[in-house]
Amino acid sequence: MLINLIKKYFNNYLNAVVLSTDSKALRLKKSSLIIVPLIIGPAALVWGILYIFLGQYVSASIPLSYSVISLFNLCHLYKTKNIILLQQIQMILVLFLPFFLMWSLGGFASGSFVMLWAFFAPIAALIYEDSKKSLYWFYAFIVLVVFSTVIDQALIESRTTFLSQTAIELFFLLNSSAALAGVFLLIKYFINEKDKNAHECLEEEHRELALRSEELNKANIKLKALAHYDSLTGLPNRALFNDRLSQAIEKAKRHKNELALLFVDLDRFKPINDSLGHALGDKVLQAVASRLHNSIRKEDSLARLGGDEFIILMDDLNKGENASLLAQKIIDCLAVPIYIDEHTLYVTASIGISLYPHDDIDMNKLIMYADTAMYKAKKGGKNNFQFYSTEMTALAVDHVVMQANLHTALEKEEFVVYYQPQINAETLQHIGMEALVRWEHPSMGLITPSKFLSIAEETGFIVALDQWVMKMAMKQMVQWYKEGFNPGVLALNLSIKQLHQKDFISVFKGMLIETGCRAEWLELEVAEGQIMNHPEDAISVLNKLGDMGIELAIDDFGTGYSSLSYLKRLPIDKLKIDKTFIDGLPDDEEDVGIAKAIIALAKSLKLGVIAEGVETEEQRDFLLEHGCENIQGYFYGKPMLPHELEKCF
């Protein structure tokens, strides 16, 4: 019980004076300096009391003084956590203790005092010297302890004056040696301790500076969060959003892209706050913020402007009306009830949309116009979206209708494959055709790909649509060859999303087997801009297609910033000049230069070349004159149904 109690108090004391910020060396030094007075101090107290009982009052003063000094040192260390005073007093005792012990020679068990002090000496050596030298000190004092014990035993067993005098001389010699050792340690201490203390002070200052730096960093992060983020939802605030919007506008200017702002305001949110309290209202705002965040794309930015108002930046849009897809997605996600504290709440939102550069190019005006459009949505019955531009709202409504009907259109067999002929303008021979999908909507009539393909791309429906078009066109090719026609090569558009499907090659091979279509009858066209987004991935898959004997073409060439190094590595057979560079021929100098450059590039790389969108005789003649014989466009034929195209074979 006593041992456990002593152990408990010792651990408590040790934890109080040895700090977590102390270095490993400093913790070792403190522990060593604490152990010495804790061991020798009580022993000296007991020994002094024994001397008093024996009538040796002068001798008793020595160990009693040491026990008092030890207690003072321990209290001072506990209060200040500083070991400098403790070190200095211990070193003084190392120097003078042997002389004090000499006064008590001839008293009770005098040699044992030397033994006690001898255990302190190697500890002092460990503190002030390196471990190797400390080991040497330890060996030396073991010898000292042995001699002390032998002499002490001789004093007890022999009572002659000669032995006592000899013992006194031997003890004088031993204690003188110990004193010299103490002098050596003291000199080494005063030489080195100043530098050590300075080093420790520097380390302590460094630790304090590191702690302060860490605290400042945390404070800066907290201040930055307070300055740029909403404390309730954790979303960016108005200041940070404005900065992001400014950067997005500059980026859109450089890349000639569009962007959209969606101003989202919750409908009938005030009654929730008034009837259920602001605490619950805050939870509703947090739930709404989470749903909005899960609805947007990774590249979009969401912010809370204050109250129940949120704003979203849609960056890098191909078409402004695509913003309606996100708006409808938000309306749908908010339609799901919110469950908070046993309450079932229904929240809707009115959304206003402004477009860059359609509505304006100024950041503040775009925000103002989105806000204005939001109020149009409020007046329109709430729980809807409105564009700032009325005609854009009409387009967006059609957009949303098409998105809703797109996925069921395949099941209802509303899609139809048309074929546009490709002609060798020099020989007037039919060389092939491109398969083009059309949507025969029951209420909107025939819809061209330009109106729904972007929606299919964004929703991921393009993969299923592409596969359906491929399969139908392959079946038609097999049918034509069975009927004795020679339709040439079938060009199929391949979206990059389908190209990146892990099972694309196996699915494509399955189509060939299922339809009986031959690989050499096919040509796959991939848009240049899509290839350049992930060229390495495209090269790998296109190589596999090329190995199957399928021709490969880059569609819309000249619009996608191709790298010539990648163009050289791509396993392609043909370049297809985009219609935008054909429209101005032969009068527009820029179109003339680009068309001639693409034709020359194709020939230098030993690739085929075909021009699409040819509508006039002048365009046809220019292309023939500069070496592009293969032509596709309204000049030779619009997209046709299979029975119409058969007349061209």
Side-chain angles (χ1 to χ4, degrees), residues 423-429 620 624 628-631 635-636:
I423 305 296
N424 183 312
E426 194 168 349
T427 64
L428 298 180
Q429 181 184 358
R620 187 273 315 267
L624 270 177
C628 178
E629 299 87 8
N630 298 328
I631 288 175
F635 182 75
Y636 285 111

Side-chain angles (χ1 to χ4, degrees), residues 370-422:
D371 191 16
T372 302
M374 182 271 294
Y375 280 105
K376 283 172 60 180
K378 292 277 188 187
K379 291 178 181 178
K382 300 182 175 64
N383 195 30
N384 71 94
F385 65 85
Q386 293 286 329
F387 281 82
Y388 178 71
S389 168
T390 304
E391 65 270 19
M392 285 302 300
T393 300
L395 283 173
V397 170
D398 291 342
H399 218 56
V400 172
V401 171
M402 281 191 284
Q403 183 194 14
N405 296 337
L406 197 59
H407 289 273
T408 60
L410 269 181
E411 299 173 8
K412 295 179 180 180
E413 299 182 351
E414 295 176 0
F415 290 108
V416 181
V417 181
Y418 279 64
Y419 301 87
Q420 186 169 31
Q422 297 174 339

Side-chain angles (χ1 to χ4, degrees), residues 68-82:
V68 172
I69 292 171
S70 297
L71 179 62
F72 169 76
N73 276 334
L74 292 174
C75 292
H76 181 269
L77 178 61
Y78 183 82
K79 183 178 180 180
T80 65
K81 311 296 188 293
N82 194 311

Side-chain angles (χ1 to χ4, degrees), residues 135-191:
L135 188 63
Y136 295 153
W137 279 106
F138 185 72
Y139 290 152
F141 281 104
I142 285 177
V143 175
L144 176 62
V145 169
V146 172
F147 275 105
S148 298
T149 305
V150 171
I151 295 170
D152 187 46
Q153 188 66 25
L155 285 172
I156 293 171
E157 294 177 355
S158 304
R159 299 298 179 187
T160 63
T161 305
F162 176 75
L163 278 176
S164 297
Q165 186 61 36
T166 303
I168 290 172
E169 291 175 357
L170 285 172
F171 269 112
F172 179 79
L173 179 62
L174 289 171
N175 282 285
S176 297
S177 300
L180 290 174
V183 171
F184 172 75
L185 286 173
L186 189 64
I187 292 172
K188 290 287 291 182
Y189 166 71
F190 282 118
I191 291 174

